[in-house]
mmCIF file of all heavy atoms in Angstrom:
data_model
loop_
_atom_site.group_PDB
_atom_site.id
_atom_site.type_symbol
_atom_site.label_atom_id
_atom_site.label_comp_id
_atom_site.label_asym_id
_atom_site.label_seq_id
_atom_site.Cartn_x
_atom_site.Cartn_y
_atom_site.Cartn_z
ATOM 1 N N ALA A 267 140.681 178.630 117.911
ATOM 2 C CA ALA A 267 140.228 177.289 118.207
ATOM 3 C C ALA A 267 138.890 177.348 118.920
ATOM 4 O O ALA A 267 138.565 178.329 119.601
ATOM 5 C CB ALA A 267 141.246 176.545 119.075
ATOM 6 N N MET A 268 138.134 176.295 118.754
ATOM 7 C CA MET A 268 136.899 176.119 119.497
ATOM 8 C C MET A 268 137.028 174.835 120.295
ATOM 9 O O MET A 268 137.578 173.849 119.809
ATOM 10 C CB MET A 268 135.703 176.034 118.565
ATOM 11 C CG MET A 268 135.459 177.298 117.757
ATOM 12 S SD MET A 268 134.613 178.578 118.730
ATOM 13 C CE MET A 268 132.916 178.018 118.579
ATOM 14 N N GLY A 269 136.528 174.877 121.488
ATOM 15 C CA GLY A 269 136.629 173.713 122.348
ATOM 16 C C GLY A 269 135.327 173.403 123.055
ATOM 17 O O GLY A 269 134.440 174.250 123.163
ATOM 18 N N TRP A 270 135.243 172.181 123.494
ATOM 19 C CA TRP A 270 134.124 171.738 124.311
ATOM 20 C C TRP A 270 134.653 171.260 125.656
ATOM 21 O O TRP A 270 135.629 170.499 125.718
ATOM 22 C CB TRP A 270 133.346 170.607 123.644
ATOM 23 C CG TRP A 270 132.513 171.037 122.479
ATOM 24 C CD1 TRP A 270 132.850 170.992 121.165
ATOM 25 C CD2 TRP A 270 131.191 171.573 122.534
ATOM 26 N NE1 TRP A 270 131.822 171.466 120.387
ATOM 27 C CE2 TRP A 270 130.788 171.829 121.210
ATOM 28 C CE3 TRP A 270 130.300 171.856 123.570
ATOM 29 C CZ2 TRP A 270 129.538 172.355 120.889
ATOM 30 C CZ3 TRP A 270 129.060 172.384 123.259
ATOM 31 C CH2 TRP A 270 128.694 172.630 121.929
ATOM 32 N N PHE A 271 134.010 171.708 126.708
ATOM 33 C CA PHE A 271 134.295 171.275 128.059
ATOM 34 C C PHE A 271 133.003 170.782 128.681
ATOM 35 O O PHE A 271 131.914 171.080 128.201
ATOM 36 C CB PHE A 271 134.874 172.419 128.892
ATOM 37 C CG PHE A 271 136.261 172.833 128.497
ATOM 38 C CD1 PHE A 271 136.480 173.560 127.338
ATOM 39 C CD2 PHE A 271 137.342 172.502 129.290
ATOM 40 C CE1 PHE A 271 137.753 173.948 126.969
ATOM 41 C CE2 PHE A 271 138.628 172.889 128.940
ATOM 42 C CZ PHE A 271 138.834 173.610 127.779
ATOM 43 N N ARG A 272 133.129 170.053 129.760
ATOM 44 C CA ARG A 272 131.939 169.602 130.463
ATOM 45 C C ARG A 272 132.186 169.640 131.963
ATOM 46 O O ARG A 272 133.309 169.528 132.436
ATOM 47 C CB ARG A 272 131.516 168.199 130.031
ATOM 48 C CG ARG A 272 132.490 167.097 130.408
ATOM 49 C CD ARG A 272 132.042 165.768 129.791
ATOM 50 N NE ARG A 272 132.906 164.670 130.187
ATOM 51 C CZ ARG A 272 132.796 163.435 129.712
ATOM 52 N NH1 ARG A 272 131.851 163.147 128.816
ATOM 53 N NH2 ARG A 272 133.628 162.492 130.134
ATOM 54 N N GLN A 273 131.097 169.795 132.693
ATOM 55 C CA GLN A 273 131.194 169.868 134.139
ATOM 56 C C GLN A 273 130.006 169.161 134.769
ATOM 57 O O GLN A 273 128.858 169.541 134.556
ATOM 58 C CB GLN A 273 131.252 171.319 134.610
ATOM 59 C CG GLN A 273 131.506 171.475 136.089
ATOM 60 C CD GLN A 273 131.830 172.908 136.460
ATOM 61 O OE1 GLN A 273 131.481 173.843 135.740
ATOM 62 N NE2 GLN A 273 132.516 173.090 137.570
ATOM 63 N N ALA A 274 130.299 168.143 135.524
ATOM 64 C CA ALA A 274 129.283 167.429 136.277
ATOM 65 C C ALA A 274 129.150 168.071 137.652
ATOM 66 O O ALA A 274 130.076 168.725 138.135
ATOM 67 C CB ALA A 274 129.656 165.953 136.406
ATOM 68 N N PRO A 275 128.010 167.893 138.311
ATOM 69 C CA PRO A 275 127.825 168.485 139.642
ATOM 70 C C PRO A 275 128.924 168.066 140.601
ATOM 71 O O PRO A 275 129.251 166.883 140.721
ATOM 72 C CB PRO A 275 126.470 167.934 140.078
ATOM 73 C CG PRO A 275 125.741 167.687 138.798
ATOM 74 C CD PRO A 275 126.799 167.204 137.846
ATOM 75 N N GLY A 276 129.506 169.041 141.261
ATOM 76 C CA GLY A 276 130.555 168.770 142.227
ATOM 77 C C GLY A 276 131.905 168.444 141.629
ATOM 78 O O GLY A 276 132.840 168.141 142.376
ATOM 79 N N LYS A 277 132.014 168.496 140.317
ATOM 80 C CA LYS A 277 133.260 168.162 139.651
ATOM 81 C C LYS A 277 133.873 169.386 138.989
ATOM 82 O O LYS A 277 133.205 170.392 138.759
ATOM 83 C CB LYS A 277 133.027 167.081 138.599
ATOM 84 C CG LYS A 277 132.436 165.785 139.137
ATOM 85 C CD LYS A 277 133.434 165.024 139.965
ATOM 86 C CE LYS A 277 132.866 163.681 140.404
ATOM 87 N NZ LYS A 277 132.597 162.794 139.250
ATOM 88 N N GLU A 278 135.150 169.279 138.675
ATOM 89 C CA GLU A 278 135.832 170.332 137.948
ATOM 90 C C GLU A 278 135.418 170.290 136.484
ATOM 91 O O GLU A 278 135.070 169.239 135.948
ATOM 92 C CB GLU A 278 137.348 170.163 138.061
ATOM 93 C CG GLU A 278 137.896 170.304 139.462
ATOM 94 C CD GLU A 278 137.850 171.730 139.945
ATOM 95 O OE1 GLU A 278 137.972 172.647 139.114
ATOM 96 O OE2 GLU A 278 137.682 171.934 141.160
ATOM 97 N N ARG A 279 135.468 171.454 135.855
ATOM 98 C CA ARG A 279 135.202 171.506 134.432
ATOM 99 C C ARG A 279 136.365 170.856 133.688
ATOM 100 O O ARG A 279 137.526 171.219 133.902
ATOM 101 C CB ARG A 279 135.022 172.950 133.978
ATOM 102 C CG ARG A 279 134.521 173.100 132.561
ATOM 103 C CD ARG A 279 134.158 174.547 132.246
ATOM 104 N NE ARG A 279 133.104 175.045 133.116
ATOM 105 C CZ ARG A 279 132.520 176.229 132.975
ATOM 106 N NH1 ARG A 279 132.892 177.043 131.995
ATOM 107 N NH2 ARG A 279 131.571 176.598 133.822
ATOM 108 N N GLU A 280 136.054 169.906 132.822
ATOM 109 C CA GLU A 280 137.095 169.156 132.155
ATOM 110 C C GLU A 280 137.031 169.292 130.643
ATOM 111 O O GLU A 280 135.965 169.465 130.052
ATOM 112 C CB GLU A 280 137.024 167.671 132.540
ATOM 113 C CG GLU A 280 135.770 166.963 132.072
ATOM 114 C CD GLU A 280 135.791 165.479 132.372
ATOM 115 O OE1 GLU A 280 136.829 164.974 132.845
ATOM 116 O OE2 GLU A 280 134.761 164.811 132.132
ATOM 117 N N PHE A 281 138.183 169.182 130.046
ATOM 118 C CA PHE A 281 138.318 169.259 128.608
ATOM 119 C C PHE A 281 137.697 168.051 127.945
ATOM 120 O O PHE A 281 137.837 166.921 128.419
ATOM 121 C CB PHE A 281 139.803 169.342 128.246
ATOM 122 C CG PHE A 281 140.091 169.208 126.785
ATOM 123 C CD1 PHE A 281 139.897 170.275 125.925
ATOM 124 C CD2 PHE A 281 140.572 168.018 126.267
ATOM 125 C CE1 PHE A 281 140.170 170.154 124.572
ATOM 126 C CE2 PHE A 281 140.849 167.880 124.927
ATOM 127 C CZ PHE A 281 140.645 168.960 124.075
ATOM 128 N N VAL A 282 137.014 168.297 126.832
ATOM 129 C CA VAL A 282 136.405 167.227 126.069
ATOM 130 C C VAL A 282 137.031 167.112 124.687
ATOM 131 O O VAL A 282 137.491 166.044 124.286
ATOM 132 C CB VAL A 282 134.881 167.422 125.928
ATOM 133 C CG1 VAL A 282 134.278 166.349 125.028
ATOM 134 C CG2 VAL A 282 134.215 167.397 127.303
ATOM 135 N N ALA A 283 137.033 168.217 123.942
ATOM 136 C CA ALA A 283 137.544 168.192 122.579
ATOM 137 C C ALA A 283 137.830 169.610 122.122
ATOM 138 O O ALA A 283 137.285 170.568 122.656
ATOM 139 C CB ALA A 283 136.548 167.525 121.629
ATOM 140 N N ALA A 284 138.665 169.732 121.107
ATOM 141 C CA ALA A 284 138.964 171.029 120.529
ATOM 142 C C ALA A 284 139.271 170.869 119.053
ATOM 143 O O ALA A 284 139.721 169.803 118.613
ATOM 144 C CB ALA A 284 140.141 171.700 121.239
ATOM 145 N N VAL A 285 139.027 171.918 118.298
ATOM 146 C CA VAL A 285 139.323 171.935 116.878
ATOM 147 C C VAL A 285 139.950 173.276 116.530
ATOM 148 O O VAL A 285 139.477 174.328 116.981
ATOM 149 C CB VAL A 285 138.050 171.672 116.036
ATOM 150 C CG1 VAL A 285 136.965 172.711 116.312
ATOM 151 C CG2 VAL A 285 138.384 171.635 114.558
ATOM 152 N N LEU A 286 140.996 173.246 115.731
ATOM 153 C CA LEU A 286 141.582 174.475 115.235
ATOM 154 C C LEU A 286 140.722 175.025 114.124
ATOM 155 O O LEU A 286 140.194 174.271 113.304
ATOM 156 C CB LEU A 286 143.005 174.230 114.723
ATOM 157 C CG LEU A 286 144.030 173.746 115.745
ATOM 158 C CD1 LEU A 286 145.408 173.663 115.099
ATOM 159 C CD2 LEU A 286 144.071 174.660 116.956
ATOM 160 N N TRP A 287 140.581 176.359 114.096
ATOM 161 C CA TRP A 287 139.690 176.967 113.125
ATOM 162 C C TRP A 287 140.280 176.983 111.728
ATOM 163 O O TRP A 287 139.540 176.949 110.745
ATOM 164 C CB TRP A 287 139.330 178.387 113.573
ATOM 165 C CG TRP A 287 137.950 178.774 113.169
ATOM 166 C CD1 TRP A 287 137.588 179.778 112.328
ATOM 167 C CD2 TRP A 287 136.731 178.158 113.591
ATOM 168 N NE1 TRP A 287 136.237 179.824 112.195
ATOM 169 C CE2 TRP A 287 135.668 178.847 112.962
ATOM 170 C CE3 TRP A 287 136.437 177.086 114.442
ATOM 171 C CZ2 TRP A 287 134.338 178.497 113.155
ATOM 172 C CZ3 TRP A 287 135.108 176.740 114.631
ATOM 173 C CH2 TRP A 287 134.084 177.443 113.993
ATOM 174 N N SER A 288 141.557 177.061 111.638
ATOM 175 C CA SER A 288 142.232 176.978 110.355
ATOM 176 C C SER A 288 142.639 175.529 110.128
ATOM 177 O O SER A 288 143.436 174.976 110.892
ATOM 178 C CB SER A 288 143.458 177.891 110.328
ATOM 179 O OG SER A 288 144.123 177.811 109.086
ATOM 180 N N GLY A 289 142.091 174.940 109.095
ATOM 181 C CA GLY A 289 142.287 173.524 108.905
ATOM 182 C C GLY A 289 141.239 172.773 109.704
ATOM 183 O O GLY A 289 140.155 173.296 109.985
ATOM 184 N N SER A 290 141.563 171.556 110.070
ATOM 185 C CA SER A 290 140.591 170.756 110.800
ATOM 186 C C SER A 290 141.235 169.833 111.812
ATOM 187 O O SER A 290 140.699 168.751 112.103
ATOM 188 C CB SER A 290 139.744 169.941 109.812
ATOM 189 O OG SER A 290 140.549 169.135 108.982
ATOM 190 N N SER A 291 142.355 170.228 112.357
ATOM 191 C CA SER A 291 143.015 169.412 113.369
ATOM 192 C C SER A 291 142.158 169.353 114.622
ATOM 193 O O SER A 291 141.594 170.360 115.049
ATOM 194 C CB SER A 291 144.390 169.986 113.703
ATOM 195 O OG SER A 291 145.247 169.933 112.581
ATOM 196 N N THR A 292 142.077 168.195 115.203
ATOM 197 C CA THR A 292 141.245 167.980 116.378
ATOM 198 C C THR A 292 142.004 167.220 117.454
ATOM 199 O O THR A 292 142.966 166.512 117.174
ATOM 200 C CB THR A 292 139.970 167.193 116.033
ATOM 201 O OG1 THR A 292 140.331 165.912 115.495
ATOM 202 C CG2 THR A 292 139.134 167.941 115.004
ATOM 203 N N ARG A 293 141.533 167.365 118.686
ATOM 204 C CA ARG A 293 142.068 166.627 119.816
ATOM 205 C C ARG A 293 140.920 166.274 120.740
ATOM 206 O O ARG A 293 139.940 167.013 120.835
ATOM 207 C CB ARG A 293 143.129 167.436 120.573
ATOM 208 C CG ARG A 293 144.416 167.659 119.809
ATOM 209 C CD ARG A 293 145.192 166.367 119.606
ATOM 210 N NE ARG A 293 146.499 166.619 119.013
ATOM 211 C CZ ARG A 293 146.713 166.746 117.700
ATOM 212 N NH1 ARG A 293 145.706 166.657 116.850
ATOM 213 N NH2 ARG A 293 147.949 166.968 117.265
ATOM 214 N N TYR A 294 141.078 165.157 121.421
ATOM 215 C CA TYR A 294 140.031 164.668 122.302
ATOM 216 C C TYR A 294 140.599 164.207 123.627
ATOM 217 O O TYR A 294 141.741 163.743 123.708
ATOM 218 C CB TYR A 294 139.296 163.486 121.667
ATOM 219 C CG TYR A 294 138.627 163.803 120.362
ATOM 220 C CD1 TYR A 294 139.298 163.646 119.161
ATOM 221 C CD2 TYR A 294 137.313 164.264 120.339
ATOM 222 C CE1 TYR A 294 138.689 163.941 117.956
ATOM 223 C CE2 TYR A 294 136.690 164.556 119.139
ATOM 224 C CZ TYR A 294 137.381 164.395 117.954
ATOM 225 O OH TYR A 294 136.759 164.691 116.759
ATOM 226 N N ALA A 295 139.776 164.325 124.645
ATOM 227 C CA ALA A 295 140.108 163.694 125.900
ATOM 228 C C ALA A 295 140.053 162.187 125.714
ATOM 229 O O ALA A 295 139.240 161.669 124.940
ATOM 230 C CB ALA A 295 139.133 164.132 126.991
#
């Protein structure tokens, strides 16, 4: 899987989105 996370100054790194490499299933915050 590949995922995207983001982190603002002073904040925890948070999940944004992910996609499974086999097929194209996705999930989002």
Side-chain angles (χ1 to χ4, degrees):
M268 297 281 278
W270 287 96
F271 290 74
R272 66 186 183 185
Q273 186 169 22
K277 302 289 184 64
E278 296 288 329
R279 189 171 299 186
E280 65 175 354
F281 171 78
V282 175
V285 59
L286 298 185
W287 213 243
S288 180
S290 56
S291 296
T292 60
R293 291 292 187 275
Y294 300 90

